[in-house]
Amino acid sequence: MHTLKKNRPLRRIVLASAATVSGMVLLLSLKPHTTPAVAGSASSPAPSGSSGASSGATESGGSSGSAATGTRTLTGDSVQTRWGPVQVRITLKDGKLTDVTAVTYPQENPRDQQINAYAIPQLTREALTAQSADIDTVSGATYTSDGYRESLQSALDSASR
């Protein structure tokens, strides 16, 4: 006869308790999500409020050339999300997206800071790879991803005018 089917409730209690404790130990031993190292300081996010919030896309300091050539820096619309505004600044060199910087993003509390420390560099890498605002949403940072994408698209739209 099977050991658990015998009429020994104490043995069942001990085995169930041991299984529960083992499960809890395994669950608690999981490591929290860590932020990957960001290569280069150009793609690391700037602190919120480092630049005045803009209600429209603006251009600043083009070095030379016409709209299609030279280096241009444009700031996208400030997009209000559930957790706060998101705004990005892009740099275009000869019509190619060379840098995307998050100017404003939610960082009011430690959880916002933790989420965006991971999400912003990932969104920046994807934008530079895609050369457009057609990028994936970062899991766990849906609102920031949506605001980032919308602000990025407004900056790209203003570059094409």
Side-chain angles (χ1 to χ4, degrees), residues 106-117:
Q107 56 180 6
E108 296 301 315
N109 59 57
R111 182 70 178 142
D112 286 344
Q113 294 168 6
Q114 178 186 17
I115 289 170
N116 292 320

Side-chain angles (χ1 to χ4, degrees), residues 20 22 32 44 49 59 64 82 85 88 96 103 121 129 134 136 158 160:
T20 302
S22 297
S44 57
E59 183 173 348
S64 66
R82 178 177 180 179
V88 299
K96 184 178 180 197
V103 178
T129 301
D134 187 21
D136 290 334
S158 68
S160 64

Side-chain angles (χ1 to χ4, degrees), residues 15-86:
L15 288 174
S17 298
T20 302
V21 168
S22 297
M24 290 302 293
V25 167
L26 288 172
L27 185 63
L28 294 174
S29 69
L30 291 174
K31 302 289 183 224
H33 182 75
T34 57
T35 305
V38 178
S41 62
S43 63
S44 57
S48 177
S50 64
S51 174
S54 171
S55 61
T58 58
E59 183 173 348
S60 61
S63 63
S64 66
S66 67
T69 61
T71 301
R72 296 172 44 186
T73 302
L74 300 121
T75 303
D77 292 339
S78 179
V79 178
Q80 186 62 40
T81 68
R82 178 177 180 179
W83 305 112
V86 177

